[in-house]
Amino acid sequence: MGASASVGAGLLGVRLPKAEAKSVTVAAPAPSMTTTSGAPMVLAAHCGVLGEAMPDPVVRDESMQASIILSEPAAAKVVLWPLDNPADAVESEWVPTELGSDASNLVNVAKMRMPPGSGAAGRAWAWQSFAALAGTPADAPLSAAFGTDGVVRTIPWRPIAGDAAAFSFAVGSCTQIAHPSQRATACRSAASMATSPISFMAHLGDTSYVDTWDEYLQDTDAHTYTKFAAGLRAHFRQSDLANLYSRVPVRMVMDDHDSGPDNSYETDVYPQARQAFSDIAAGTSFDNRLYAAIEPMAPTYDTWMSGCAQFWLLDNRLWRDAPNQQLQSFAGQKYASQLGASQRAWLKASLAASSAPIKIILSPRTFTQFYTGPEQQELIDWITGYRSRTPMVSGTVVFLTGDMHAGAVWRLSPTRPVFEMLCGPMNNTTLHSPQALASWQVKWGYQTRFLNTSDGLPGRAVSNAWGRVDIGADNSVALNLMKDDGTLLYQELIAG
């Protein structure tokens, strides 16, 4: 609902009840999922702006989705206002923290959607989150707030759909934050992103790595809802990532370290992992295990416009064929799809229907490495008409991918502006051997423009990395592969 000018003014000086006035006895340290102090506080918050969708897969109004991590069972509220008119603020209801699928493990996260139009393109926004005691009525005023982290977060300006304007965004994957064998470390890629002039960030999965190696390889009782939820909470509370997400919204999708066993696919994704991701991560097109809480039967894949670029966010786990199944075929070649029949058909149809001069495909898995040859051929032929002589897709097409621990750039067509940039890993200790990179280089062949190695091709990857894409008002595209410290490793310029 719309807030009055007095609410907007109160953002800077709202009088919150003082914790000491409540004579609270602070309990001993509690498990990471909950505390018992009776003084709820905001520990972290992030948001995603669900851009104005195309008619397929769902129709929706552009709005902001927020996730507030709290210190204990509580309620949370978000107040949002445009920077050019702070008095024109809107606020959410008080939303209780989630219980999750395991009743003994409180998530202590409130996830919500702001009213349609919140965080919309064409202007910059600011927002702040507040905590109140558990049981606070949904319609209680802001004065019911018990506390806030004091952080005013931002949603930078980005162009309205269809407008020719310059903007940039970042892409990354593989942030090894909560692995049992990993000590807490800085995430320099996130720190570099936070200082870049980007309008949003896309995280393509593998957010925390909560499994030990033995657990990761098999289905065991160790795969609990609490473990996956704790890993996500650790991701959003890590200082460099929290700082990044306070500056820009994020779009998110799961990969195998978020969803199940190594190399997971549709039928072996753990329901408890999927539920934890749905409960906690903002910037997703779905909000519960049935993908039906906000958008009726919304799938995990999505498409939206920003300026003259259309984006496709894919899911390579919840729709993927099992590796031993060859359910699809192209030119007489049977294959197991990384997308599944429904998602692949949607992608091809919506690519063909799009008149956007720039088409950005966000794929968690590396297209050149992990999609089978027939599926690569099917999609590239659909775009370029290389085999069929009937190109179905116009404009510049860029695959931005993750999962594999390397940074690289390929040209996927000798005649059309079709590229892939592998954007990662943001923060991972597993960098591939010279032997592995050399064998992959043979497979990738002439397409390879750059591989993040010590001395060109082949070699050991020298650093963690991320991608920044600059869209020009003239429909040009610059693919920038960045070292984790912000150094430019390679740039590919694509004319508009």
Side-chain angles (χ1 to χ4, degrees):
M1 63 180 178
S4 66
S6 62
V7 171
L11 296 171
L12 302 180
V14 60
R15 293 185 179 275
L16 299 174
K18 293 184 178 180
E20 59 265 28
K22 294 180 178 291
S23 300
V24 171
T25 300
V26 179
S32 61
M33 295 300 291
T34 183
T35 63
T36 55
S37 68
M41 290 296 296
V42 174
L43 301 180
H46 66 282
C47 79
V49 176
L50 304 189
E52 185 175 352
M54 305 300 101
D56 187 22
V58 293
V59 180
R60 61 162 179 264
D61 293 318
E62 188 170 39
S63 64
M64 166 184 163
Q65 186 185 62
S67 183
I68 317 302
I69 297 175
L70 296 129
S71 59
E72 62 186 271
K77 177 188 284 286
V78 165
V79 183
L80 173 84
W81 64 98
L83 287 181
D84 58 3
N85 187 10
D88 190 19
V90 295
E91 59 182 296
S92 71
E93 296 180 327
W94 286 104
V95 176
T97 54
E98 295 286 348
L99 186 66
S101 60
D102 181 348
S104 66
N105 293 293
L106 294 165
V107 185
N108 300 337
V109 174
K111 185 175 175 181
M112 65 194 72
R113 280 281 289 273
M114 297 296 289
S118 301
R123 63 201 311 190
W125 298 76
W127 62 285
Q128 193 166 8
S129 51
F130 298 88
L133 294 173
T136 298
D139 59 355
L142 182 59
S143 59
F146 192 99
T148 175
D149 59 0
V151 179
V152 176
R153 296 174 170 85
T154 58
I155 299 174
W157 175 93
R158 66 192 187 284
I160 295 170
D163 285 359
F167 70 103
S168 300
F169 62 94
V171 182
S173 66
C174 305
T175 44
Q176 193 177 28
I177 299 302
H179 194 281
S181 65
Q182 177 89 353
R183 293 179 58 189
T185 59
C187 184
R188 295 202 302 175
S189 294
S192 297
M193 288 182 188
T195 62
S196 298
I198 56 175
S199 61
F200 73 93
M201 183 261 185
H203 197 293
L204 299 183
D206 289 349
T207 54
S208 56
Y209 297 80
V210 295
D211 280 344
T212 65
W213 185 246
D214 287 342
E215 292 167 355
Y216 185 49
L217 291 176
Q218 57 189 313
D219 191 355
T220 74
D221 292 338
H223 295 300
T224 64
Y225 177 91
T226 301
K227 182 172 70 172
F228 285 110
L232 276 170
R233 282 168 56 96
H235 175 94
F236 291 114
R237 294 191 65 193
Q238 196 277 342
S239 59
D240 294 316
L241 288 160
N243 182 50
L244 170 64
Y245 298 147
S246 73
R247 296 169 183 265
V248 295
V250 61
R251 293 303 307 263
M252 303 196 75
V253 68
M254 292 189 294
D255 202 26
D256 54 348
H257 285 280
D258 309 299
S259 63
D262 188 20
N263 205 28
S264 59
Y265 46 90
E266 179 184 7
T267 57
D268 71 350
V269 169
Y270 303 136
Q272 60 271 31
R274 180 174 62 185
Q275 184 67 49
F277 192 86
S278 300
D279 287 344
I280 294 173
T284 64
S285 58
F286 63 97
D287 287 279
N288 70 9
R289 74 176 80 191
L290 299 176
Y291 322 129
I294 300 300
E295 309 293 349
M297 299 309 294
T300 52
Y301 49 83
D302 197 13
T303 183
W304 69 93
M305 287 282 295
S306 187
C308 287
Q310 184 168 347
F311 293 80
W312 285 261
L313 179 64
L314 305 182
D315 185 325
N316 293 142
R317 300 299 174 187
L318 292 177
W319 301 85
R320 179 188 170 208
D321 293 342
N324 60 350
Q325 293 179 303
Q326 294 185 319
L327 304 177
Q328 324 300 328
S329 65
F330 175 72
Q333 305 173 83
K334 292 186 176 297
Y335 67 90
S337 174
Q338 294 289 337
L339 301 173
S342 297
Q343 184 177 201
R344 191 183 68 258
W346 163 82
L347 175 63
K348 290 172 62 177
S350 54
L351 280 169
S354 173
S355 60
I358 301 168
K359 298 173 175 65
I360 305 292
I361 301 171
L362 298 160
S363 170
R365 302 210 80 196
T366 313
F367 179 76
T368 305
Q369 177 69 8
F370 294 123
Y371 286 62
T372 62
E375 188 162 34
Q376 289 183 37
Q377 294 170 31
E378 179 173 353
L379 292 173
I380 296 300
D381 181 65
W382 183 258
I383 294 167
T384 66
Y386 177 77
R387 181 187 293 260
S388 66
R389 303 293 188 264
T390 308
M392 300 299 294
V393 181
S394 62
T396 297
V397 179
V398 177
F399 290 81
L400 300 174
T401 62
D403 194 26
M404 188 175 173
H405 297 172
V409 178
W410 300 268
R411 181 160 189 160
L412 302 183
S413 167
T415 59
R416 288 281 307 281
V418 184
F419 288 83
E420 177 179 2
M421 180 164 67
L422 170 59
C423 309
M426 285 180 64
N427 187 73
N428 199 292
T429 56
T430 303
L431 299 176
H432 295 293
S433 69
Q435 293 79 13
L437 293 175
S439 66
W440 294 332
Q441 164 60 12
V442 171
K443 172 183 175 181
W444 297 334
Y446 80 94
Q447 304 174 112
T448 309
R449 318 282 276 198
F450 177 81
L451 184 63
N452 177 21
T453 59
S454 57
D455 54 359
L457 300 170
R460 180 181 292 277
V462 295
S463 73
N464 294 307
W466 56 281
R468 193 191 76 223
V469 179
D470 303 326
I471 306 293
D474 59 354
N475 295 331
S476 61
V477 178
L479 303 179
N480 305 286
L481 185 60
M482 312 297 294
K483 190 175 176 180
D484 57 1
D485 65 2
T487 303
L488 179 66
L489 291 168
Y490 178 78
Q491 182 182 71
E492 181 78 29
L493 297 175
I494 308 170

